[in-house]
Amino acid sequence: MDFKIRKPRIDAPTPNGKVEQLITAINVLIDEINLLFESSIDKVYLEGKDGAWKYKRWTSGKAECHGSIPITLSSWNESTGILTAIAESIPLPAGLFKETPKIYLSISTDALISTGGIRAYKNAFIPSFIRFDGNNTNIDLTLGVCAVGRWI
């Protein structure tokens, strides 16, 4: 819903023109207020799809992308009794972010695992995982990913 202030109208002529001057000044002020509100409302500037990613750029400079990324974890390290794995680098949409975005993950799998951390870059990220069931077999999972940063 757009926000607009209505301008007053002059319905009857006035003898000295002072009311017209006041109404003109009020109309200029209303134009400025409406312009301020229009510029403060964040709108989608550009949206698209890049492989598994859907992305948006906003007029405020925010950029975001969402995707479901299937991966297989096959190489588990067993140090200090904890099984850990690092996935391959996962590319983000090319040129979407000006700087390193924040990465948010969700995991969909039957195994008992958690994220161990994320190494993020401007164009990609590398997630790591911790496994709690002691089993070091392959795991197929789907990462739900949301990356949020700036494009300007």
Side-chain angles (χ1 to χ4, degrees):
M1 183 170 102
D2 289 334
F3 176 82
K4 291 271 188 200
I5 298 175
R6 286 192 183 166
K7 296 180 181 180
R9 289 187 1 216
I10 302 172
D11 290 335
T14 56
N16 59 11
K18 300 253 184 219
V19 173
E20 287 91 349
Q21 290 175 353
L22 180 61
I23 295 294
T24 300
I26 289 171
N27 285 337
V28 168
L29 182 61
I30 288 172
D31 285 341
E32 293 296 319
I33 290 171
N34 285 334
L35 189 61
L36 179 65
F37 273 106
E38 285 175 15
S39 65
S40 68
I41 296 172
D42 202 9
K43 297 176 184 171
V44 174
Y45 173 76
L46 175 74
E47 62 185 309
K49 192 168 169 37
D50 183 2
W53 298 104
K54 291 181 180 177
Y55 63 86
K56 290 181 182 177
R57 286 183 171 172
W58 298 83
T59 55
S60 65
K62 178 178 137 183
E64 64 182 80
C65 62
H66 306 267
S68 293
I69 312 296
I71 63 173
T72 298
L73 298 173
S74 56
S75 180
W76 292 94
N77 299 321
E78 200 169 349
S79 60
T80 66
I82 299 173
L83 290 170
T84 60
I86 298 174
E88 297 286 323
S89 177
I90 298 171
L92 294 166
L96 181 62
F97 298 106
K98 176 179 136 181
E99 55 199 33
T100 303
K102 292 186 186 309
I103 307 287
Y104 303 94
L105 298 179
S106 64
I107 303 170
S108 177
T109 185
D110 292 336
L112 186 56
I113 67 172
S114 176
T115 57
I118 303 166
R119 177 164 287 167
Y121 303 96
K122 183 169 64 169
N123 302 334
F125 69 99
I126 303 170
S128 63
F129 301 90
I130 301 171
R131 190 164 186 178
F132 299 104
D133 61 8
N135 188 346
N136 64 357
T137 58
N138 291 358
I139 294 178
D140 292 319
L141 59 91
T142 301
L143 285 178
V145 184
C146 174
V148 179
R150 309 277 311 159
W151 70 277
I152 56 172

